[in-house]
Amino acid sequence: MKHWLIACLLALASAGSSIAAQKPNIVLIYADDLGYGDVSANGSKTIKTPNMDRIAKEGLRFTAGYATSATCTPSRYSLMTGEYAWRQKGTGILPGDAALIIKPGRTTLPSVLQKAGYKTGAVGKWHLGLGDKEIDWNGDIKPGPNEVGYDYSYIMAATADRVPCVFVENHRVVGLDPKDPIEVNYTKNFPGEPTGKENPELLTKQKPSHGHDMSIVNGISRIGFMKGGKAALWKDEDMADIFTGKAVQFIEKNKAQPFFLYFGLHDPHVPRVPHPRFVGKSGMGARGDAIIQADWCVGEVLNTLEKLRLNENTLVILSSDNGPVIDDGYQDEAVKLLGEHKPWGPYRGNKYSKFEAGTRVPFLVRWTGKIKPGVSDAMISQVDLLASFAALTGQTLAEADAPDSLNMLPALLGESKQGRDYVLEHANAVALRQGNWKFIEPSKGPKVNKNTNAETGNDEVPQLYDLSKDVGERKNVAAENPEKVQEMQAALNKFKQAGRTRP
Ligand code: NG6
Ligand code: CA
């Protein structure tokens, strides 16, 4: 009897660690500018995202999952390195010809998994720079994703609205004709090349509302100048199909071994030019249609996992790099056709904002048979994925690795309701949420950006909100709570000065 009991206890004890031993595949779907309220599982009644909702229904829906920053490059930098981007210079929104901002050899999210025996792949939006000096787009483009942890990569260098408008597979531009070399310049145009500013008659698909008036590709003017590479230029309408095809291929090819797929969707970032089969589907114009397209991409990945019988063996995460923005530089009728839809959900703000909706994003996690379906209010940040995946795969991080990544595995798997005690939310300045208190330190600059109509969260006085009563950050209670303000400013200063927050 005693032996039987001991055997049972041993079996129970090892059950906890059997998760680590299993090394599930990991698929991280990372949308671009998708707001908390853009997902119907998060309460939106104005848009339908059945595939994203499926992850929520079969898994955990986090109500307090955060990107580290309210724009792309810094959020992706933190996701990759486990370090807040604001600790390092040069981690703001990068031009398309920027050098790689992650040092090869550094411990990264995919390199941790590589070490654990995973095959790793990056498909879709990159936006972390490429090369170490001026990039020759016609030769081997490196270092890039393949030098910082990915075995395979099929990416766009920066954003859909920045040149060069080509895909890069491993180190090479896809479909490049060597007789028609690509040149890229972010300061001056190439003689004789048309631009959106000088040749508006060539803008056959979408016109800018602000900025975005340089080189024209596929009837749309972009940020930056490029020349050549005609055969390699993308068609925006096909981008979702191409990326999804590569993501599915990567899963199929690696199904027999642990794999990690980072799938960076380009939707619903501007320019929003979905495939014709999605046009008109949302009734909300191009932005809504782009979300429907993003949801289709998610569905294709889920269907592939199901078809290959990988559901019980795969951790799927869906999140977004920052909050939503409506007019981000093109006349695509997103503002006019928004109607009752609230891309920010119940929160205040948007992309570029220190208010909650800047960084509080969709955060859905599924591991069939392991994660009990439900809703979690635990606070969790994307910066934590690195340390959490290290824990999942039974690895220890060196002291210098991932300085801001906390192991949130129990919260991530729904074994604990306890997440972080605090989150740092960055949009130029840094805001601090501790429990239900939200503190935004004084910062200069406009309260609302003229072009995007996006609220920045800037104010020259300290802002304090009690999210337990005021989730929409409407009533600044700083004046009534001077001690709280002082305490949170001091805590924020400490987080910044310490250079790291991982114990
Ligand atoms: C801004 C662009 C915006 C978008 C953003 C990056 C202008 C006027 N605005 O500078 O359109 O490209 O950068 O978005 O150029 S992100 O999601 O990659 O951070
Ligand atoms: Ca983004």
Side-chain angles (χ1 to χ4, degrees):
M1 184 66 184
K2 238 186 183 166
H3 286 289
W4 177 81
L5 196 65
I6 289 168
C8 269
L9 285 173
L10 278 176
L12 270 177
S14 69
S17 57
S18 72
I19 287 173
Q22 279 186 13
K23 295 194 178 162
N25 308 309
I26 301 171
V27 176
L28 171 60
I29 307 176
Y30 204 54
D32 195 2
D33 299 1
L34 186 73
Y36 184 91
D38 283 324
V39 175
S40 40
N42 282 340
S44 166
K45 295 202 169 36
T46 34
I47 198 156
K48 288 278 160 283
T49 52
N51 293 299
M52 298 184 196
D53 293 2
R54 193 175 145 198
I55 306 179
K57 201 167 144 242
E58 297 171 2
L60 263 186
R61 180 172 72 81
F62 284 84
T63 61
Y66 289 82
T68 61
S69 300
T71 50
C72 167
T73 302
S75 285
R76 281 166 215 255
Y77 178 88
S78 306
L79 177 77
M80 276 288 282
T81 62
E83 176 185 49
Y84 292 121
W86 43 262
R87 295 202 190 282
Q88 302 295 341
K89 284 213 174 76
T91 55
I93 299 170
L94 292 179
D97 62 349
L100 180 66
I101 57 170
I102 298 168
K103 222 167 147 200
R106 174 170 195 173
T107 295
T108 61
L109 182 73
S111 83
V112 163
L113 295 169
Q114 248 176 356
K115 258 202 195 149
Y118 282 62
K119 271 275 181 269
T120 57
V123 173
K125 183 176 182 178
W126 178 242
H127 213 184
L128 291 166
L130 293 169
D132 49 15
K133 38 187 185 299
E134 214 170 290
I135 307 170
D136 175 4
W137 296 95
N138 309 289
D140 270 348
I141 301 161
K142 62 180 178 191
N146 298 57
E147 283 65 44
V148 291
Y150 288 108
D151 297 310
Y152 172 76
S153 63
Y154 190 104
I155 57 162
M156 70 165 144
T159 59
D161 57 348
R162 280 175 176 75
V163 302
C165 300
V166 295
F167 302 122
V168 180
E169 187 168 32
N170 297 319
H171 299 123
R172 287 281 174 164
V173 168
V174 179
L176 181 67
D177 173 0
K179 293 200 286 298
D180 180 24
I182 294 177
E183 287 177 79
V184 172
N185 195 310
Y186 267 75
T187 51
K188 63 177 204 300
N189 193 14
F190 300 94
E193 292 296 310
T195 64
K197 194 170 180 187
E198 281 138 19
N199 308 87
E201 74 283 1
L202 299 179
L203 302 176
T204 50
K205 287 203 183 140
Q206 225 170 67
K207 293 180 177 49
S209 59
H210 57 267
H212 303 96
D213 59 357
M214 295 166 233
S215 286
I216 302 171
V217 174
N218 193 30
I220 300 164
S221 49
R222 320 269 168 167
I223 307 171
F225 303 102
M226 77 173 291
K227 186 187 167 186
K230 245 199 164 92
L233 297 176
W234 71 49
K235 253 190 97 197
D236 303 73
E237 294 87 331
D238 296 335
M239 196 181 278
D241 284 340
I242 290 176
F243 283 154
T244 304
K246 295 292 166 188
V248 165
Q249 244 174 39
F250 178 83
I251 296 173
E252 284 171 343
K253 196 166 164 222
N254 294 289
K255 62 173 190 247
Q257 64 200 89
F259 63 80
F260 167 59
L261 171 66
Y262 156 83
F263 183 15
L265 307 178
H266 71 292
D267 284 315
H269 193 282
V270 296
R272 301 160 183 140
V273 189
H275 189 273
R277 69 184 186 278
F278 299 110
V279 173
K281 288 289 182 273
S282 67
M284 221 178 274
R287 185 172 187 277
D289 296 346
I291 294 171
I292 305 281
Q293 174 169 272
D295 190 65
W296 172 84
C297 300
V298 172
E300 290 300 291
V301 169
L302 297 182
N303 292 343
T304 303
L305 294 174
E306 175 138 49
K307 189 182 80 192
L308 299 174
R309 298 179 190 281
L310 293 175
N311 282 0
E312 309 214 327
N313 193 21
T314 305
L315 179 66
V316 179
I317 301 181
L318 177 117
S319 198
S320 176
D321 65 341
N322 51 253
V325 56
I326 315 305
D327 179 352
D328 208 14
Y330 289 93
Q331 300 176 36
D332 60 7
E333 298 199 299
V335 175
K336 191 177 129 200
L337 299 174
L338 189 65
E340 294 300 302
H341 182 53
K342 292 190 172 56
W344 34 81
Y347 308 115
R348 182 174 182 179
N350 31 253
K351 179 180 183 176
Y352 310 115
S353 179
K354 288 174 277 293
F355 292 124
E356 286 295 286
T359 50
R360 193 160 173 172
V361 287
F363 203 113
L364 311 174
V365 184
R366 183 190 82 172
W367 183 357
T368 309
K370 279 285 185 307
I371 293 179
K372 209 167 129 234
V375 180
S376 174
D377 297 327
M379 283 199 278
I380 189 159
S381 170
Q382 291 165 5
V383 78
D384 300 328
L385 290 180
L386 196 155
S388 305
F389 290 170
L392 175 69
T393 56
Q395 302 192 68
T396 22
L397 294 172
E399 170 92 20
D401 294 344
D404 297 302
S405 189
L406 307 183
N407 173 11
M408 287 290 134
L409 191 61
L412 198 66
L413 300 181
E415 291 164 355
S416 167
K417 286 189 165 47
Q418 186 60 43
R420 287 178 151 264
D421 301 329
Y422 70 92
V423 271
L424 295 169
E425 306 174 40
H426 162 238
N428 297 320
V430 184
L432 168 64
R433 181 184 162 192
Q434 245 169 350
N436 275 317
W437 289 109
K438 168 78 177 277
F439 170 70
I440 307 177
E441 65 179 339
S443 58
K444 292 206 168 73
K447 289 188 179 174
V448 177
N449 179 294
K450 262 197 333 286
N451 288 328
T452 53
N453 198 27
E455 282 197 294
T456 57
N458 289 331
D459 206 325
E460 283 175 20
V461 297
Q463 296 172 75
L464 183 72
Y465 299 99
D466 180 353
L467 300 179
S468 69
K469 300 186 203 127
D470 177 24
V471 84
E473 295 168 285
R474 291 290 158 194
K475 192 169 182 293
N476 182 1
V477 294
E480 295 102 290
N481 298 280
E483 275 166 26
K484 196 75 206 165
V485 167
Q486 225 175 29
E487 180 197 313
M488 289 185 81
Q489 178 72 69
L492 183 53
N493 293 346
K494 214 170 129 200
F495 288 135
K496 287 191 197 168
Q497 282 150 14
R500 63 180 295 133
T501 48
R502 185 163 68 83

